[in-house]
Amino acid sequence: MSIDYSEKGFEANIEANLINSGYIQRTISNQALDDFRKYAIDVKIFFEFLEKSQPKSLERLRKAYKDQYKKKILDRVHKELDKRGMIDCLRHGVKDYGVTLKLAYNKPVSDMNQMLIDLYEKNIFTVSRQVFYSSKNNNSIDMMLSINGLPIVIMELKNQLTNQTVDDSKNQFRKDRDPRELLFQFKKRAVVYFAVDTDEVFMTTQLNREKTFFLPFNRGNDGGKGNPVVYNDYRTSYLWNDILQKDSLLDILFRFVYVNQEDVLDSTGEIIDKKETVIFPRYHQLDAVRKIELDVKEKGIGQNYLIQHSAGSGKTNSISWLAHRLAKLHDEENNATFTSVIVITDRRVLDKQLQDAVYQLEHKAGMVEKIDKDSAQLANAIAGGTRVIITTLQKFPFIIEKLGEFSAGKYGIVIDEAHSSQGGKASTAMTNILSDKSLEDAFEADRLAEENLEDVDEKIAETIAKSGKQDNISFFAFTATPKPKTIERFGTYDKDGMPHAFHVYSMRQAIEEGFILDVLKNYTTYKTFYKVAKSIEDDPEVSSKKATKQIAKYVSLHPHNIAQKTEIIVEHFRQVTRHKIGGRAKAMVVTGSRLHAVRYKQAFDKYIKAKGYGDLNTLVAFSGTVEDKGVPFTEPEMNGFGEKELPDKFHTDDYQVLLVAEKYQTGFDEPLLHSMYVDKPLDGIKAVQTLSRLNRTCKGKNDTFVLDFVNEAEDIQKAFQPYYEITGLESTTDPNLLYDLERELDACQVYTKEEIEEVCNLEFSEKRKTSKTQEKLNSILDKAVNRYNKELSKEQQEDFKGATTKFVRTYSFILQIGPFADIDLHKLYVYLNYLLRKLPKNVSDGVYLADDVALQYYRNEKVFEGNISLNPDGETKLKPASHGKGQSGEEEKERLSSIIDRLNERFGTEFSETDKLSRDQIKEDMINNEDLAQKAQSNTRENFKFSYEKAFLDFVISRMSQNEKFFMKMLENGEFRSFIMDDMFEEVYDSLNERTVS
């Protein structure tokens, strides 16, 4: 007999497991089905529960309503479910004619009250398969779990063995389940919808057609997404063997699920609506909170717990649930485990969210108190035994001191240190005035000040260490990036004496599950090259150190040449970033010091005004007062409003770029942040925290972009490695990598040069594209696919596909940040974009999407190429430094020419006679071009310049073979190219106007 691999077999196995654990099999048919279609309640089971659990209350209503009592009760319950929602009614019952009907009983926290235990045991859990819920059609849901006749869980089940997956389940919910049906109406009936196959589980709490948003509900697999293999069972068996067990489901309904309310704001910040969301815990949240609670029960007070949960893990909810459950925890004698639970956070949203969540769970005010006045308020709250106290990091040392005075109490301290920003009160140490300092001096001063600021988790660890271990306090520390001190102080020690996090939800899993974006995916480093001129006639001896510094201040693309970098950043933002996230994308510029931030703000505003860009506004963030050339600057004065208003102001459509100096590099959540321009050395945890400002997700945000002027890709990779498994970081702008990949791909002999040319002829043909074009394209690509399948081994196929993907990504990255023109590479890029779509998909391969946006900009907007590159006004002739004040000790001096030679050796090359000849050849080619001649004679000098710049690279490429070094330098170095192009412009224009058009 063959194996039953059908979907029905999968259903039957789940049902059998649930029945074995105490669920009752329930087929809804005949009159029960008619009632269900009307009320979306299993009426027979509902009244069976009321009669078993509350006979006296039911009898009172029977006397009041006579023979109509069932209909009257159903109408009342139906009305309350519609108005208040299933969760609130389940927890707090329904009042009818002076009688309170309980709809379910949670399991008592202790076994001391037999009556509560008896009532809890009256609950009736049913599992129903193929429920025909609608009176409009014959659709049925695969499985429904109900408590006392009330539908709680809806499941659509798929089985990979029948060629259907969890994605088909999601599509079924989106396309075939009408959210207007009573069973599916938001909040009113079913609490959660699970899309399930044998490998993965996804959930949602609201059906909304195509807009239905599913969250993964998976355990994680070796640090990534999905679920591990389970011996002798399905990977997803934890759902019915653990999560949906009777006690677990009641626990979730009574002590986890709540309705979150958010204000919907318009672009001006005005509240225009309220948005409600039913919050059902994700797997890792449920798992962490329950495991911590169980461990506290087993080991008692005095233990420490480190919860390493990545950004995107939903820490706000996790902390809320943990704080509430710890506050409600009782020992075997029914005594409260903790006198108070104190939550340390600088996260503003947590205050209101925790208060609202606890109120929904308890239905009584006063359990949560926010400390927003002074230390006396905090002391009173501790002395009064307030169940949950919310306070800030700044009061942490005072809390430890106060708790020592209340030695009779027992306290749980939940620390949310990952969100404590040094941009807030912790930065009050950085208020020294910088007066007339160079940018280098300012950077060094701010760097030292930052180093002297105590890191948040280190400050906490040291405060605890000073007070010694206290047996009446347990610590619960949440962080995404624990430092060694944090792990040592809060970690759980194994048998070898090594500390570890108690619970982990990794950055990798958060990225793979789509809760945060991978900020390293589009990471580009920018290298600095420049050339300066020297005057042989005037070659004085100067201080080597000072001259080098002065030269560096003015040459193009030096890390502190703010004007040049401002141009790169602004133009990249306008050409690329601002089109992201539906036109609402924002950027952050990370500067080297507070003085840098001030000058960047001035440079940005000056450049934006000069260009007439009315769609770009900046804000600056720095602490204290900065004095520059005798003028004091503060953040509020430069922005025109108070510091506390900045996050909300920046979120509006009025501002696009935030320039920061330390402030807001950590603890700042703005989902619309898409791009980051880094002009500051970053390493270690600071690099992770700073770059992670970009990782928040929102609707329409599919990627991020980092342009780094200072740091090496390897250093950034090294910083992230302890917290995230990096796979294939593409982060270089060196075009030579593309040539390496091109050689590797050519060697596979999958395609021919002729086939690349044929595809590009189709792509760039000016003729209108027809369905015949697609026929031709497929026939060309099929030749390569055939070779790929027949002539390459599995390993070679993987290598080819990996190299192809890397080539496409790397090429598109290079196009985003600067001009790089190699026609052959671009043709290969176009060809490989199409070929990747045709190559056979491995099971593990996701859907490949080519970067059409980058390709579009390259093809259709040549201005983008020019605007992103630097366009300085030729070389800068420098004079020796003349305004240095005083000096200490004997300074080393050398000829200015020697200093310049050394700089040129490092950053560029001198012109050779061959180079000058190459330059003249380009000029002659352009002068002899008929098309350019017509444009020059029919346009003004200014209008002709656009056509001239657009054509310039074509002439450069045509001469590549004659002086490759010179022309490659022109392609790679924007400043060098711009100098040559500008230098020749007048000659070309005048010469073209002098000749007669033939």
Side-chain angles (χ1 to χ4, degrees):
M1 186 174 178
S2 63
I3 296 172
D4 179 5
Y5 58 84
S6 68
E7 185 181 303
K8 298 288 185 210
F10 187 36
E11 279 180 31
N13 286 334
I14 296 173
E15 181 187 52
N17 276 279
L18 290 169
I19 291 170
N20 288 338
S21 68
Y23 277 78
I24 296 170
Q25 185 183 46
R26 170 70 173 156
T27 302
I28 301 176
S29 59
N30 302 322
Q31 182 60 45
L33 183 57
D34 292 340
D35 291 340
F36 186 79
R37 284 171 166 162
K38 181 178 180 180
Y39 293 106
I41 295 172
D42 187 347
V43 174
K44 180 177 181 298
I45 298 295
F46 178 65
F47 278 98
E48 183 180 326
F49 163 72
L50 292 180
E51 286 161 3
K52 284 172 58 181
S53 62
Q54 301 154 83
K56 292 180 181 178
S57 296
L58 201 59
E59 183 60 29
R60 286 176 60 186
L61 292 173
R62 185 184 288 128
K63 288 179 180 177
Y65 292 137
K66 312 299 183 196
D67 293 342
Q68 293 282 303
Y69 84 99
K70 284 192 176 181
K71 181 180 184 306
K72 292 284 188 181
I73 290 172
L74 280 172
D75 287 344
R76 175 62 181 162
V77 170
H78 174 70
K79 184 178 178 182
E80 285 288 270
L81 288 172
D82 275 4
K83 184 167 67 175
R84 292 164 48 201
M86 178 65 79
I87 294 299
D88 194 54
C89 291
L90 268 177
R91 283 181 183 149
H92 308 295
V94 171
K95 289 187 176 181
D96 186 10
Y97 217 89
V99 174
T100 298
L101 293 174
K102 297 290 288 182
L103 304 189
Y105 291 96
N106 194 15
K107 186 175 182 179
V109 292
S110 75
D111 56 4
M112 298 184 71
N113 190 323
Q114 189 58 45
M115 183 183 74
L116 292 179
I117 293 170
D118 291 342
L119 288 170
Y120 150 74
E121 290 175 348
K122 302 283 196 243
N123 289 316
I124 304 171
F125 291 78
T126 56
V127 51
S128 304
R129 289 170 58 187
Q130 299 305 317
V131 180
F132 296 88
Y133 57 86
S134 179
S135 55
K136 302 171 188 172
N137 54 53
N138 204 37
N139 289 349
S140 66
I141 52 176
D142 287 341
M143 189 169 287
M144 179 176 74
L145 308 186
S146 304
I147 299 177
N148 304 325
L150 302 171
I152 303 298
V153 177
I154 304 292
M155 290 194 282
E156 293 293 354
L157 309 171
K158 302 299 171 193
N159 188 348
Q160 281 89 334
L161 295 177
T162 60
N163 292 318
Q164 287 196 306
T165 69
V166 71
D167 290 325
D168 295 292
S169 297
K170 293 186 210 173
N171 287 332
Q172 198 165 17
F173 276 123
R174 289 184 176 120
K175 295 175 181 177
D176 300 338
R177 304 294 174 248
D178 187 347
R180 294 171 296 183
E181 291 277 2
L182 181 56
L183 179 62
F184 305 137
Q185 286 181 24
F186 177 60
K187 284 200 323 177
K188 296 179 181 180
R189 291 298 187 275
V191 174
V192 64
Y193 307 88
F194 284 114
V196 187
D197 66 17
T198 60
D199 291 344
E200 291 192 280
V201 180
F202 284 77
M203 69 167 180
T204 186
T205 56
Q206 182 175 12
L207 297 185
N208 192 16
R209 294 290 191 187
E210 292 298 324
K211 294 179 182 177
T212 303
F213 182 68
F214 282 92
L215 296 169
F217 193 80
N218 297 310
R219 296 166 62 196
N221 189 12
D222 288 333
K225 67 177 182 178
N227 292 298
V229 172
V230 177
Y231 177 72
N232 219 24
D233 210 336
Y234 301 106
R235 287 176 186 257
T236 50
S237 58
Y238 63 91
L239 181 64
W240 50 91
N241 288 335
D242 179 11
I243 305 300
L244 298 179
Q245 290 293 298
K246 296 192 299 179
D247 289 352
S248 171
L249 185 55
L250 281 174
D251 180 54
I252 292 169
L253 294 173
F254 276 87
R255 301 177 67 195
F256 277 100
V257 179
Y258 73 98
V259 181
N260 185 47
Q261 274 198 351
E262 288 181 35
D263 294 331
V264 178
L265 310 178
D266 63 12
S267 59
T268 66
E270 293 292 319
I271 298 173
I272 56 174
D273 200 2
K274 296 274 187 185
K275 179 188 176 186
E276 284 192 331
T277 309
V278 172
I279 304 296
F280 192 96
R282 286 153 59 186
Y283 181 85
H284 69 272
Q285 294 173 319
L286 198 62
D287 190 54
V289 171
R290 283 178 166 174
K291 282 180 176 173
I292 292 168
E293 184 180 32
L294 184 63
D295 201 73
V296 171
K297 278 184 177 179
E298 290 178 356
K299 297 177 181 173
I301 311 292
Q303 304 299 314
N304 295 334
Y305 300 85
L306 176 62
I307 303 95
Q308 186 180 344
H309 280 193
S310 164
S313 67
K315 278 198 287 286
T316 298
N317 281 328
S318 299
I319 290 170
S320 297
W321 285 317
L322 180 62
H324 174 252
R325 293 175 78 91
L326 292 175
K328 296 290 289 183
L329 200 58
H330 286 69
D331 60 22
E332 295 296 326
E333 285 74 41
N334 208 27
N335 298 313
T337 303
F338 295 105
T339 309
S340 294
V341 175
I342 303 168
V343 181
I344 315 285
T345 183
D346 281 343
R347 199 187 306 223
R348 292 181 301 167
V349 68
L350 185 62
D351 305 335
K352 184 74 167 66
Q353 195 162 323
L354 183 52
Q355 286 171 322
D356 289 349
V358 171
Y359 180 76
Q360 286 185 42
L361 297 169
E362 292 293 327
H363 241 237
K364 58 184 176 185
M367 268 201 72
V368 180
E369 183 176 352
K370 176 188 174 185
I371 307 302
D372 52 6
K373 295 175 185 174
D374 53 28
S375 297
Q377 181 194 15
L378 177 59
N380 290 335
I382 295 171
T386 302
R387 303 301 297 137
V388 179
I389 300 167
I390 304 177
T391 186
T392 62
L393 170 70
Q394 285 70 38
K395 293 185 175 67
F396 184 78
F398 176 78
I399 292 167
I400 296 296
E401 180 186 327
K402 276 293 169 191
L403 294 187
E405 298 174 13
F406 299 105
S407 56
K410 296 177 181 178
Y411 303 96
I413 300 183
V414 182
I415 304 169
D416 175 27
E417 85 270 26
H419 269 254
S420 298
S421 171
Q422 290 182 344
K425 293 179 183 177
S427 283
T428 52
M430 279 177 54
T431 55
N432 60 302
I433 294 177
L434 297 172
S435 181
D436 292 327
K437 290 192 176 183
S438 70
L439 291 171
E440 290 86 351
D441 293 337
F443 169 76
E444 186 62 19
D446 277 24
R447 184 186 67 79
L448 291 172
E450 287 172 26
E451 284 184 0
N452 290 330
L453 280 176
E454 288 185 5
D455 188 86
V456 172
D457 50 4
E458 286 186 4
K459 181 178 179 181
I460 290 170
E462 286 170 12
T463 302
I464 296 169
K466 286 175 187 174
S467 12
K469 182 171 173 59
Q470 299 180 36
D471 293 335
N472 66 324
I473 301 177
S474 287
F475 289 96
F476 307 86
F478 283 77
T479 180
T481 51
K483 281 191 168 183
K485 276 188 180 179
T486 316
I487 298 171
E488 187 177 355
R489 176 56 58 187
F490 300 114
T492 302
Y493 284 80
D494 61 21
K495 60 182 180 180
D496 297 322
M498 293 298 295
H500 304 278
F502 182 82
H503 198 274
V504 176
Y505 177 75
S506 71
M507 187 184 295
R508 177 186 156 199
Q509 186 174 349
I511 289 169
E512 290 181 1
E513 291 187 341
F515 288 106
I516 58 174
L517 294 165
D518 184 355
V519 298
L520 302 185
K521 194 172 182 181
N522 289 1
Y523 199 103
T524 306
T525 56
Y526 211 108
K527 291 191 180 297
T528 302
F529 299 94
Y530 61 79
K531 173 181 177 293
V532 293
K534 65 177 184 292
S535 168
I536 299 301
E537 293 77 22
D538 183 16
D539 195 14
E541 280 197 352
V542 293
S543 160
S544 173
K545 184 177 179 182
K546 286 186 177 179
T548 301
K549 186 177 288 188
Q550 288 302 316
I551 291 168
K553 278 188 179 181
Y554 293 99
V555 295
S556 172
L557 265 183
H558 183 274
H560 292 161
N561 191 318
I562 289 172
Q564 294 298 323
K565 287 183 180 174
T566 295
E567 180 176 353
I568 296 176
I569 295 168
V570 171
E571 296 302 340
H572 178 272
F573 181 89
R574 297 191 77 253
Q575 294 297 330
V576 179
T577 301
R578 72 167 179 168
H579 302 293
K580 303 283 187 174
I581 320 181
R584 297 195 67 203
K586 299 180 184 293
M588 176 181 281
V589 181
V590 180
T591 72
S593 73
R594 291 174 301 138
L595 182 58
H596 280 81
V598 168
R599 291 193 184 174
Y600 258 117
K601 170 69 172 165
Q602 294 168 333
F604 264 73
D605 292 350
K606 179 181 177 181
Y607 183 83
I608 290 166
K609 184 178 179 181
K611 288 289 186 178
Y613 295 155
D615 55 355
L616 180 56
N617 292 301
T618 67
L619 292 173
V620 68
F622 62 91
S623 56
T625 300
V626 175
E627 190 169 300
D628 189 15
K629 298 175 184 175
V631 180
F633 294 93
T634 66
E635 176 192 308
E637 288 168 355
M638 296 192 83
N639 290 331
F641 50 79
E643 288 184 61
K644 291 182 179 179
E645 298 177 67
L646 190 145
D648 291 334
K649 291 274 190 182
F650 185 54
H651 183 69
T652 68
D653 293 338
D654 296 334
Y655 299 96
Q656 290 73 38
V657 178
L658 178 62
L659 308 152
V660 305
E662 180 61 23
K663 205 171 183 182
Y664 294 116
Q665 283 178 235
T666 59
F668 178 58
D669 286 340
E670 174 47 73
L672 294 174
L673 264 183
H674 174 276
S675 296
M676 183 175 286
Y677 306 96
V678 181
D679 193 19
K680 174 182 181 177
L682 296 173
D683 60 9
I685 209 166
K686 181 67 72 177
V688 179
Q689 291 176 338
T690 300
L691 296 172
S692 293
R693 297 309 99 215
L694 296 180
N695 66 20
R696 301 316 192 258
T697 59
C698 65
K699 187 177 180 182
K701 184 176 177 181
N702 302 311
D703 59 6
T704 63
F705 181 76
V706 180
L707 178 56
D708 194 330
F709 292 101
V710 179
N711 303 284
E712 296 289 339
E714 293 79 7
D715 294 332
I716 298 300
Q717 184 180 29
K718 184 179 177 182
F720 270 76
Q721 192 62 57
Y723 313 108
Y724 165 66
E725 294 179 15
I726 302 171
T727 52
L729 170 63
E730 260 105 48
S731 56
T732 178
T733 58
D734 181 6
N736 292 324
L737 174 61
L738 293 171
Y739 296 123
D740 294 339
L741 289 168
E742 181 189 32
R743 282 193 296 274
E744 184 179 336
L745 290 168
D746 287 351
C748 293
Q749 302 179 50
V750 170
Y751 52 78
T752 67
K753 296 293 182 187
E754 291 74 18
E755 288 162 8
I756 294 173
E757 289 291 338
E758 286 180 80
V759 168
C760 289
N761 287 338
L762 291 175
E763 176 73 3
F764 297 113
S765 170
E766 293 182 1
K767 296 178 182 178
R768 188 170 64 87
K769 306 291 191 295
T770 66
S771 56
K772 287 290 182 187
T773 311
Q774 187 186 106
E775 272 185 12
K776 292 177 184 175
L777 176 64
N778 272 277
S779 65
I780 299 166
L781 295 173
D782 283 343
K783 297 175 185 176
V785 173
N786 198 41
R787 296 185 198 107
Y788 175 91
N789 286 329
K790 288 188 174 182
E791 298 174 17
L792 299 187
S793 67
K794 278 284 184 188
E795 186 176 336
Q796 289 172 326
Q797 287 178 355
E798 290 176 8
D799 290 344
F800 178 81
K801 190 180 285 188
T804 302
T805 303
K806 192 171 184 180
F807 179 92
V808 170
R809 287 179 180 170
T810 305
Y811 190 87
S812 65
F813 296 162
I814 287 171
L815 289 185
Q816 283 194 64
I817 64 135
F820 172 70
D822 182 316
I823 291 172
D824 288 337
L825 282 185
H826 190 67
K827 287 178 178 178
L828 180 59
Y829 171 68
V830 171
Y831 174 84
L832 292 177
N833 259 301
Y834 285 116
L835 182 60
L836 268 173
R837 301 167 194 241
K838 287 282 288 182
L839 292 179
K841 298 285 187 295
N842 296 331
V843 177
S844 60
D845 280 352
V847 178
Y848 175 78
L849 297 174
D851 193 344
D852 291 326
V853 175
L855 188 61
Q856 176 188 2
Y857 283 132
Y858 181 79
R859 277 201 249 138
N860 300 327
E861 295 187 50
K862 289 280 188 179
V863 174
F864 168 77
E865 184 176 338
N867 284 340
I868 289 178
S869 66
L870 294 172
N871 295 290
D873 298 326
E875 299 173 350
T876 304
K877 294 184 178 181
L878 301 176
K879 292 183 179 179
S882 59
H883 57 270
K885 289 185 180 179
Q887 61 187 53
S888 58
E890 190 69 24
E891 292 191 337
E892 180 185 347
K893 294 190 176 183
E894 61 178 307
R895 292 289 178 186
L896 179 59
S897 59
S898 300
I899 298 168
I900 292 177
D901 284 341
R902 192 173 67 252
L903 290 173
N904 281 335
E905 184 180 347
R906 179 181 172 192
F907 291 106
T909 57
E910 292 281 8
F911 279 135
S912 67
E913 289 303 317
T914 307
D915 294 338
K916 289 173 183 172
L917 177 62
S918 297
R919 179 257 193 209
D920 291 339
Q921 286 171 336
I922 297 171
K923 184 185 78 172
E924 290 304 315
D925 289 346
M926 299 185 85
I927 290 171
N928 292 320
N929 184 269
E930 299 294 337
D931 182 53
L932 274 183
Q934 290 177 354
K935 289 176 179 174
Q937 293 171 0
S938 59
N939 282 284
T940 64
R941 196 176 297 270
E942 288 72 25
N943 289 341
F944 171 69
K945 191 167 188 179
F946 179 76
S947 299
Y948 167 80
E949 291 179 351
K950 194 173 182 182
F952 184 80
L953 280 178
D954 293 335
F955 289 96
V956 170
I957 292 169
S958 70
R959 287 280 182 178
M960 281 283 287
S961 60
Q962 296 172 5
N963 184 356
E964 185 173 347
K965 183 178 178 182
F966 174 78
F967 289 110
M968 279 307 297
K969 180 176 175 63
M970 200 179 299
L971 290 176
E972 294 175 14
N973 190 319
E975 180 200 1
F976 184 60
R977 182 179 61 260
S978 296
F979 170 75
I980 299 293
M981 189 163 57
D982 292 346
D983 183 56
M984 285 169 28
F985 175 71
E986 299 292 340
E987 297 173 54
V988 172
Y989 184 75
D990 291 339
S991 298
L992 286 169
N993 271 293
E994 287 170 4
R995 53 171 289 193
T996 303
V997 181
S998 57

